[in-house]
């Protein structure tokens, strides 16, 4: 979050005169700051990340914003403690699904398919995203060694070869199942609320993240 946007966000939060909203925004800002440290520690290291560390980084860098937005939304409408709990969970799993889906598509899709540039940039930059770690875990020994040589030892291989190794490891299917699991959890949270235009629109947006690869 840039300094200007942070200042604007806190200014708007203060206008609500609700301490809980300021606290939520503060926690999100702190988590973003921690994510910068974690990203340097995990992704620039010459050691293999764990899947737990990859999810921790996602939670600090991405899901914290979804959590804050979701909780602040209900706090503006006199939320109960149950509402706050549900919206934290909504933000967490929506954020994870969103980021895992984005990381997956940045490796396996084309620029035309996802409508943005920079596809396979994560591979070029040797980023140990969650799908890469799953691939290292599931690949046959020869492919696993090549992936570790590329991401950890920093040996040079053709980017398309690395992409092919990730695809044939079975990691795509594993991450798709996890994304869809998170989506199902988010939808179940939303469906616990009475039917409304807003609820139905959120369910529609959430289901848009579903993957069938």
């Amino acid at each position: 979050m840039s300094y200007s946007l942070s200042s604007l966000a806190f200014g708007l939060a203060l206008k609500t005169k609700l301490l809980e909203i300021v606290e939520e925004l503060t926690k999100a800002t702190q988590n973003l700051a921690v994510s910068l440290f974690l990203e340097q520690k995990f992704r620039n290291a010459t050691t293999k990340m764990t899947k737990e560390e990859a999810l921790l980084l996602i939670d600090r860098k991405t899901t914290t914003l979804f959590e804050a937005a979701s909780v602040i939304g209900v706090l503006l409408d006199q939320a109960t403690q149950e509402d706050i709990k549900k919206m934290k969970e909504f933000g967490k799993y929506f954020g994870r699904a969103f980021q895992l889906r984005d990381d997956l598509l940045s490796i396996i899709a084309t620029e035309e398919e996802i409508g943005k540039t920079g596809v396979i940039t994560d591979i070029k930059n040797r980023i140990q995203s969650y799908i890469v770690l799953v691939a290292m875990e599931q690949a046959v020994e020869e492919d696993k060694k090549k992936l570790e040589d590329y991401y950890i030892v920093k040996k040079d291989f053709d980017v398309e070869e690395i992409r092919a190794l990730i695809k044939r490891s079975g990691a795509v299917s594993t991450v798709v199942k996890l994304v869809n699991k998170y989506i199902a959890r988010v939808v179940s949270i939303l469906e616990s609320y009475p039917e409304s235009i807003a609820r139905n629109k959120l369910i529609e947006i959430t289901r848009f993240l579903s993957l069938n690869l």
Side-chain angles (χ1 to χ4, degrees):
M1 189 186 299
S2 69
Y3 291 122
S4 59
L5 287 177
S6 295
S7 298
L8 176 61
F10 276 105
L12 292 172
L14 289 169
K15 286 182 179 180
T16 68
K17 298 181 181 180
L18 293 173
L19 180 59
E20 296 93 336
I21 289 179
V22 177
E23 288 175 341
E24 285 298 323
L25 194 56
T26 300
K27 282 189 288 186
T29 304
Q30 289 173 336
N31 280 332
L32 285 174
V34 170
S35 77
L36 296 177
F37 166 76
L38 292 175
E39 195 160 36
Q40 290 296 316
K41 176 184 176 183
F42 292 150
R43 290 186 169 167
N44 291 335
T46 54
T47 56
K48 181 182 175 184
M49 286 176 62
T50 66
K51 291 187 295 184
E52 291 72 25
E53 288 170 337
L55 285 178
L56 175 63
L57 183 54
I58 288 173
D59 286 344
R60 293 292 185 270
K61 188 176 181 181
T62 303
T63 67
T64 188
L65 295 175
F66 285 103
E67 283 185 32
S70 303
V71 172
I72 288 172
V74 294
L75 285 173
L76 288 168
D77 192 33
Q78 300 179 330
T80 65
Q81 287 302 309
E82 182 64 20
D83 288 328
I84 292 172
K85 180 181 177 182
K86 284 183 178 180
M87 286 302 100
K88 278 186 178 293
E89 189 174 6
F90 167 86
K92 177 179 180 179
Y93 292 108
F94 186 96
R96 282 189 177 184
F98 177 90
Q99 189 61 60
L100 287 172
R101 181 182 189 274
D102 189 65
D103 289 345
L104 175 63
L105 293 178
S106 73
I107 288 178
I108 68 169
T110 66
E111 292 183 355
E112 291 74 22
E113 287 172 332
I114 62 176
K116 71 174 184 178
T117 60
V119 170
I120 72 172
T121 298
D122 284 1
I123 297 179
K124 291 178 180 177
N125 292 335
R126 304 174 198 264
I127 293 176
Q128 294 184 49
S129 58
Y130 189 88
I131 184 174
V132 169
L133 297 170
V134 173
M136 288 184 186
E137 185 179 89
Q138 295 184 181
V140 298
E141 286 304 315
E142 181 181 351
D143 290 352
K144 183 183 298 185
K145 184 178 187 310
K146 190 166 286 187
L147 287 170
E148 291 179 352
D149 281 345
Y150 181 77
Y151 282 97
I152 301 170
V153 183
K154 312 301 183 186
K155 288 186 179 180
D156 287 329
F157 293 102
D158 180 73
V159 171
E160 288 299 331
E161 180 182 4
I162 297 300
R163 191 213 286 250
L165 294 182
I166 294 171
K167 285 183 175 181
R168 71 172 177 241
S169 70
V172 172
S173 176
T174 298
V175 174
V176 165
K177 287 177 182 177
L178 183 57
V179 168
N180 290 339
K181 176 183 175 182
Y182 288 152
I183 288 170
R185 192 162 182 173
V186 170
V187 169
S188 70
I189 292 169
L190 293 171
E191 288 180 338
S192 70
Y193 286 95
E195 187 167 343
S196 67
I197 294 175
R199 187 205 76 157
N200 293 344
K201 181 58 67 174
L202 282 173
I203 291 174
E204 180 184 343
I205 292 170
T206 300
R207 285 181 171 153
F208 177 77
L209 296 179
S210 296
L211 290 167
N212 184 22
L213 301 173

Short mmCIF file of all heavy atoms in Angstrom, two decimals, residues 1-2 4 10 29 38 49 63-64 75 83 90-91 94 107 142 157 179 194 203-204:
data_model
loop_
_atom_site.label_atom_id
_atom_site.label_comp_id
_atom_site.label_asym_id
_atom_site.label_seq_id
_atom_site.Cartn_x
_atom_site.Cartn_y
_atom_site.Cartn_z
N MET A 1 0.86 -1.18 0.00
CA MET A 1 0.00 0.00 0.00
C MET A 1 0.90 1.24 0.00
O MET A 1 1.76 1.38 0.86
CB MET A 1 -0.89 -0.02 1.25
CG MET A 1 -2.00 1.05 1.24
SD MET A 1 -2.90 1.09 2.81
CE MET A 1 -3.57 -0.55 2.88
N SER A 2 0.70 2.14 -0.93
CA SER A 2 1.55 3.32 -1.01
C SER A 2 1.25 4.24 0.17
O SER A 2 0.20 4.16 0.82
CB SER A 2 1.30 4.06 -2.32
OG SER A 2 0.02 4.65 -2.31
N SER A 4 0.51 7.41 0.11
CA SER A 4 -0.65 8.27 -0.14
C SER A 4 -1.95 7.52 0.10
O SER A 4 -2.89 8.06 0.70
CB SER A 4 -0.60 8.81 -1.57
OG SER A 4 -0.60 7.76 -2.51
N PHE A 10 -6.50 5.79 6.30
CA PHE A 10 -6.60 6.12 7.72
C PHE A 10 -7.45 7.37 7.93
O PHE A 10 -8.18 7.47 8.93
CB PHE A 10 -5.20 6.32 8.32
CG PHE A 10 -4.55 5.03 8.74
CD1 PHE A 10 -3.54 4.47 7.99
CD2 PHE A 10 -4.97 4.36 9.88
CE1 PHE A 10 -2.95 3.27 8.36
CE2 PHE A 10 -4.39 3.16 10.27
CZ PHE A 10 -3.37 2.61 9.51
N THR A 29 -2.12 -2.97 7.75
CA THR A 29 -0.91 -2.25 7.38
C THR A 29 0.32 -2.92 7.98
O THR A 29 1.36 -3.06 7.32
CB THR A 29 -0.98 -0.78 7.85
OG1 THR A 29 -2.17 -0.18 7.31
CG2 THR A 29 0.23 0.00 7.38
N LEU A 38 9.13 -10.91 4.99
CA LEU A 38 9.01 -12.34 4.70
C LEU A 38 9.35 -12.65 3.25
O LEU A 38 9.99 -13.66 2.95
CB LEU A 38 7.60 -12.83 5.01
CG LEU A 38 7.18 -12.84 6.48
CD1 LEU A 38 5.72 -13.24 6.61
CD2 LEU A 38 8.05 -13.80 7.28
N MET A 49 11.60 -23.11 0.44
CA MET A 49 10.50 -22.72 1.31
C MET A 49 9.63 -23.93 1.61
O MET A 49 9.66 -24.93 0.89
CB MET A 49 9.63 -21.66 0.62
CG MET A 49 10.22 -20.28 0.54
SD MET A 49 9.13 -19.15 -0.41
CE MET A 49 7.64 -19.15 0.57
N THR A 63 -4.26 -11.86 1.80
CA THR A 63 -5.52 -12.09 2.51
C THR A 63 -5.79 -11.04 3.57
O THR A 63 -6.96 -10.77 3.89
CB THR A 63 -5.57 -13.49 3.16
OG1 THR A 63 -4.61 -13.56 4.23
CG2 THR A 63 -5.27 -14.58 2.15
N THR A 64 -4.73 -10.43 4.11
CA THR A 64 -4.95 -9.41 5.14
C THR A 64 -5.78 -8.25 4.62
O THR A 64 -6.59 -7.67 5.34
CB THR A 64 -3.60 -8.90 5.69
OG1 THR A 64 -3.84 -8.04 6.81
CG2 THR A 64 -2.81 -8.12 4.64
N LEU A 75 -18.51 -3.84 10.10
CA LEU A 75 -18.41 -2.92 11.23
C LEU A 75 -19.17 -1.62 10.96
O LEU A 75 -19.68 -0.98 11.89
CB LEU A 75 -16.94 -2.59 11.54
CG LEU A 75 -16.13 -3.69 12.23
CD1 LEU A 75 -14.66 -3.29 12.30
CD2 LEU A 75 -16.67 -3.96 13.64
N ASP A 83 -20.67 -11.99 13.08
CA ASP A 83 -20.45 -11.40 11.76
C ASP A 83 -18.97 -11.14 11.52
O ASP A 83 -18.43 -11.43 10.45
CB ASP A 83 -21.20 -10.07 11.61
CG ASP A 83 -22.71 -10.26 11.49
OD1 ASP A 83 -23.12 -11.29 10.92
OD2 ASP A 83 -23.44 -9.37 11.95
N PHE A 90 -14.18 -15.30 5.75
CA PHE A 90 -14.48 -15.02 4.35
C PHE A 90 -13.26 -14.39 3.67
O PHE A 90 -12.82 -14.83 2.61
CB PHE A 90 -15.68 -14.08 4.26
CG PHE A 90 -15.87 -13.48 2.90
CD1 PHE A 90 -16.59 -14.15 1.92
CD2 PHE A 90 -15.34 -12.23 2.58
CE1 PHE A 90 -16.78 -13.60 0.66
CE2 PHE A 90 -15.50 -11.67 1.32
CZ PHE A 90 -16.23 -12.36 0.36
N GLY A 91 -12.71 -13.34 4.29
CA GLY A 91 -11.57 -12.64 3.70
C GLY A 91 -10.34 -13.52 3.58
O GLY A 91 -9.63 -13.47 2.56
N PHE A 94 -11.14 -16.27 0.76
CA PHE A 94 -11.28 -15.63 -0.54
C PHE A 94 -9.91 -15.14 -1.00
O PHE A 94 -9.53 -15.32 -2.17
CB PHE A 94 -12.25 -14.45 -0.46
CG PHE A 94 -12.55 -13.83 -1.79
CD1 PHE A 94 -13.69 -14.20 -2.50
CD2 PHE A 94 -11.70 -12.88 -2.35
CE1 PHE A 94 -13.97 -13.63 -3.74
CE2 PHE A 94 -11.97 -12.32 -3.59
CZ PHE A 94 -13.11 -12.70 -4.29
N ILE A 107 1.69 -19.10 -14.28
CA ILE A 107 2.63 -20.13 -14.73
C ILE A 107 2.09 -20.91 -15.92
O ILE A 107 2.82 -21.20 -16.87
CB ILE A 107 2.97 -21.09 -13.57
CG1 ILE A 107 3.87 -20.38 -12.55
CG2 ILE A 107 3.65 -22.36 -14.07
CD1 ILE A 107 4.21 -21.21 -11.34
N GLU A 142 13.95 -37.08 -11.03
CA GLU A 142 14.75 -36.33 -12.01
C GLU A 142 14.22 -34.90 -12.18
O GLU A 142 14.98 -33.93 -12.21
CB GLU A 142 14.72 -37.05 -13.36
CG GLU A 142 15.55 -36.36 -14.44
CD GLU A 142 15.48 -37.09 -15.78
OE1 GLU A 142 14.94 -38.21 -15.83
OE2 GLU A 142 15.97 -36.52 -16.76
N PHE A 157 18.05 -22.88 -16.71
CA PHE A 157 17.32 -23.79 -17.59
C PHE A 157 16.34 -22.94 -18.41
O PHE A 157 15.98 -21.83 -18.01
CB PHE A 157 16.55 -24.85 -16.80
CG PHE A 157 17.41 -25.83 -16.06
CD1 PHE A 157 17.61 -25.70 -14.70
CD2 PHE A 157 18.01 -26.88 -16.74
CE1 PHE A 157 18.40 -26.60 -14.01
CE2 PHE A 157 18.81 -27.79 -16.06
CZ PHE A 157 19.02 -27.65 -14.69
N VAL A 179 -7.81 -24.46 -4.36
CA VAL A 179 -8.53 -23.23 -4.68
C VAL A 179 -10.03 -23.46 -4.60
O VAL A 179 -10.77 -22.69 -3.97
CB VAL A 179 -8.15 -22.71 -6.09
CG1 VAL A 179 -9.11 -21.60 -6.53
CG2 VAL A 179 -6.71 -22.20 -6.10
N PRO A 194 -29.09 -14.46 5.10
CA PRO A 194 -30.35 -14.42 4.32
C PRO A 194 -30.09 -13.97 2.89
O PRO A 194 -29.20 -13.17 2.63
CB PRO A 194 -31.20 -13.39 5.08
CG PRO A 194 -30.62 -13.36 6.46
CD PRO A 194 -29.15 -13.61 6.30
N ILE A 203 -21.52 -14.16 -3.93
CA ILE A 203 -21.42 -15.58 -4.30
C ILE A 203 -21.04 -15.72 -5.76
O ILE A 203 -20.19 -16.55 -6.12
CB ILE A 203 -22.75 -16.32 -4.01
CG1 ILE A 203 -22.98 -16.42 -2.49
CG2 ILE A 203 -22.75 -17.72 -4.63
CD1 ILE A 203 -24.31 -17.00 -2.10
N GLU A 204 -21.63 -14.91 -6.60
CA GLU A 204 -21.32 -14.93 -8.04
C GLU A 204 -19.85 -14.59 -8.28
O GLU A 204 -19.15 -15.26 -9.05
CB GLU A 204 -22.21 -13.94 -8.77
CG GLU A 204 -21.98 -13.89 -10.27
CD GLU A 204 -22.82 -12.83 -10.96
OE1 GLU A 204 -23.82 -12.37 -10.35
OE2 GLU A 204 -22.49 -12.46 -12.10
#
